[in-house]
Amino acid sequence: TEQRIMDQRLKMARAELHAVNLSRLPVLSLNALYGTTGMGTTKGNSFFDFYPVGYAGIQLSVPLFSGGITRQKAIAKKIELDK
């Protein structure tokens, strides 16, 4: 059981080191929404109208400077793996 726990910890530490290294890369995100909204009174639906609503967006996040935190996290994970 202890061997399995240690194997899982090692596997998790490797995954965390990989995630820290990937955090240096730019991220491109795309988001979109489409739907309808109703405006007016609901009594008898006499003035209740539906209007389409939608938007689309794109976001680019580029890490410029993290103050050396990313490098320090990577070094700490490497030491943890060596242990």
Side-chain angles (χ1 to χ4, degrees), residues 52-74:
V53 176
Y55 75 88
I58 190 166
Q59 178 181 0
L60 177 65
S61 300
V62 180
L64 296 178
F65 181 70
S66 65
I69 294 172
T70 306
R71 193 178 94 238
Q72 293 300 324
K73 284 182 183 179

Side-chain angles (χ1 to χ4, degrees), residues 3-40:
Q3 182 65 33
R4 282 183 162 177
I5 292 172
M6 291 304 294
D7 288 342
Q8 288 299 321
R9 284 186 184 170
L10 186 62
K11 194 176 188 181
M12 183 187 253
R14 284 184 184 140
E16 288 174 355
L17 178 61
H18 185 67
V20 167
N21 288 333
L22 287 179
S23 70
R24 298 176 183 168
L25 298 176
V27 177
L28 181 65
S29 303
L30 174 70
N31 53 20
L33 171 87
Y34 183 76
T36 58
T37 186
M39 296 186 184

